[in-house]
């Protein structure tokens, strides 16, 4: 069976890093490239971190493009308080030696979607949606050529993690998210409602460390670092591995369940900007535009993730 072609749009971030490793470890997936965006940390660091992860996976061949360094209209909000100063705190890894690919990430998205056959490329945005929305604005012709967008972002029953109403990826650039959610591209959304059920535990982290590999050690060290924030905030045993849920869905969609519903993005709210207004009970009459996930087989998710990381 032919590998599924994807582009990961990312703001590494420890959980982004685990998602990228999962994709690179899986033969069912062909990563056409990584497009870095400003989010957890500024663009210079997300573009650096994406290359560090590729080199950790032994994949210097993967093209990494730098994209947008700020949201469409708002001031950039970052999350060093969660991810650390470098965005990949938890383990000291060498600076990347592979160069950035030439050209802007937005142009790579446009050119790739124009070159690849329609309906063959899946976009996996796991950070703010600035690059994706900018590409849609610059080249509307690419929108119908996209097979699917499988993204991490939003929240409904779980409410926000950066404000009482908004999840970080959507909050950073609500205007970009509004463009993507209104685009008509088939959307699969992994909100906090589901990612907060993909929690690390001591046993799960030790299973990564027990792989005895550089990748396993890095994943364990990243989650050890990353989880301190969530454990203090939520009183949970571990941290939610948000972004790998997107790649795990590509590998085994039956791990997840949700509803195909209408989801709108609040862009004007004084207290609710960046909220994903998910019509879970279908009361609005608005057109359905997203598969909004609500549950995950967490044991199955971590079994898949650990087995695949063990291949690197
Ligand atoms: O809210 C979680 C999301 O914000 C994840 O993608 C994490 O990496 C951060 O970008
Ligand atoms: Ca991310």
């Amino acid at each position: 069976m032919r590998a599924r072609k994807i582009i990961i749009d990312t703001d590494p971030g420890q959980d982004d890093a685990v998602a990228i490793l999962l994709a690179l470890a899986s033969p069912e997936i062909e990563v056409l490239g990584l497009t870095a965006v400003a989010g957890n940390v500024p663009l210079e660091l997300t573009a650096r971190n994406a290359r560090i992860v590729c080199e950790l996976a032994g994949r210097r061949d993967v093209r990494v493009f730098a994209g947008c360094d700020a949201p469409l209209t708002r001031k950039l909000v970052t999350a060093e308080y969660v991810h650390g100063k470098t965005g990949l705190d938890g383990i000291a890894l060498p600076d990347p030696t592979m160069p950035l690919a030439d050209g802007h990430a937005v142009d790579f998205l446009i050119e790739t979607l124009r070159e690849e056959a329609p309906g063959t490329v899946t976009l996996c945005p796991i950070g703010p949606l600035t690059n994706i929305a900018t590409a849609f604005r610059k080249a509307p012709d690419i929108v119908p050529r996209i097979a699917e967008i499988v993204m991490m972002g939003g929240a409904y029953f779980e409410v926000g993690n950066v404000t009482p109403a908004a999840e970080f990826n959507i909050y950073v650039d609500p205007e970009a998210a509004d463009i993507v959610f209104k685009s008509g591209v088939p959307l699969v959304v992994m909100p906090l409602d589901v990612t907060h059920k993909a929690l690390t535990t001591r046993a799960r982290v030790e299973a990564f460390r027990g792989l005895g590999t550089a990748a396993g050690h890095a994943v364990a060290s990243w989650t050890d670092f990353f989880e301190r924030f969530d454990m203090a905030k939520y009183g949970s045993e571990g941290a939610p591995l948000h972004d790998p849920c997107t790649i795990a869905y590509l590998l085994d969609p039956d791990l997840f369940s949700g509803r195909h519903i209408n989801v709108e993005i609040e862009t004007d709210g004084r207290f609710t900007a960046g909220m994903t207004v998910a019509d879970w009970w279908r009361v609005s009459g608005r057109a359905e535009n997203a598969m909004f996930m609500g549950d995950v087989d967490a044991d199955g998710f971590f079994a898949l993730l650990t087995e695949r990381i063990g291949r690197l």
Side-chain angles (χ1 to χ4, degrees):
M1 188 175 125
R2 278 187 61 79
R4 182 164 181 167
K5 294 181 177 179
I6 74 169
I7 296 172
I8 303 175
D9 190 71
T10 180
D11 64 334
Q14 289 89 349
D15 60 318
D16 300 68
V18 180
I20 295 165
L21 290 178
L22 177 58
L24 296 179
S26 300
E28 305 92 324
I29 291 173
E30 179 186 356
V31 179
L32 299 179
L34 302 183
T35 49
V37 67
N40 285 321
V41 287
L43 177 68
E44 186 183 347
L45 285 173
T46 60
R48 167 188 179 271
N49 295 342
R51 286 176 286 157
I52 286 176
V53 177
C54 289
E55 292 191 346
L56 176 66
R59 293 294 306 277
R60 294 170 51 86
D61 61 297
V62 176
R63 291 179 294 169
V64 177
F65 295 83
C68 298
D69 63 2
L72 294 182
T73 59
R74 295 172 191 248
K75 188 172 173 301
L76 178 64
V77 171
T78 52
E80 289 86 347
Y81 59 94
V82 177
H83 298 275
K85 199 164 50 62
T86 70
L88 275 189
D89 285 25
I91 180 173
L93 291 169
D95 283 334
T97 57
M98 62 187 278
L100 275 173
D102 291 336
H104 194 284
V106 168
D107 295 325
F108 169 70
L109 286 162
I110 295 168
E111 288 154 19
T112 303
L113 284 162
R114 285 176 173 162
E115 284 160 11
E116 298 290 341
T120 61
V121 177
T122 296
L123 302 184
C124 297
I126 51 178
L129 291 162
T130 316
N131 284 343
I132 309 298
T134 303
F136 286 10
R137 278 178 156 177
K138 186 171 181 182
D141 60 289
I142 66 173
V143 172
R145 299 178 68 89
I146 301 165
E148 191 171 42
I149 291 178
V150 182
M151 62 170 282
M152 191 278 143
Y156 186 60
F157 292 105
E158 196 66 13
V159 296
N161 61 358
V162 64
T163 72
E167 175 278 327
F168 180 80
N169 287 342
I170 310 298
Y171 177 72
V172 169
D173 200 341
E175 287 69 27
D178 194 36
I179 288 169
V180 173
F181 276 72
K182 285 192 165 79
S183 68
V185 175
L187 285 181
V188 176
V189 181
M190 294 289 168
L192 298 180
D193 302 43
V194 68
T195 67
H196 277 194
K197 295 173 182 172
L199 286 176
T200 57
T201 62
R202 277 299 91 208
R204 288 167 175 168
V205 173
E206 289 316 314
F208 291 127
R209 191 166 278 117
L211 292 170
T213 61
H217 176 59
V219 170
S221 305
W222 285 330
T223 42
D224 279 343
F225 178 87
F226 178 71
E227 73 181 11
R228 85 214 181 288
F229 173 77
D230 287 85
M231 289 166 73
K233 177 175 177 181
Y234 296 105
S236 53
E237 185 194 347
L241 274 185
H242 307 284
D243 294 338
C245 287
T246 60
I247 307 303
Y249 173 82
L250 297 179
L251 297 170
D252 185 356
D254 293 338
L255 286 173
F256 300 90
S257 63
R259 286 186 185 178
H260 199 259
I261 56 174
N262 174 265
V263 180
E264 302 291 341
I265 308 298
E266 178 54 65
T267 56
D268 300 327
R270 182 168 156 226
F271 300 108
T272 55
M275 180 177 180
T276 45
V277 183
D279 187 7
W280 187 262
W281 305 111
R282 299 190 177 101
V283 296
S284 70
R286 291 190 290 262
E288 297 178 5
N289 60 338
M291 185 65 192
F292 199 79
M293 293 301 182
D295 211 352
V296 59
D297 165 5
D299 287 335
F301 169 74
F302 277 95
L304 171 67
L305 184 54
T306 306
E307 188 276 325
R308 292 299 167 99
I309 298 294
R311 296 188 187 190
L312 294 173

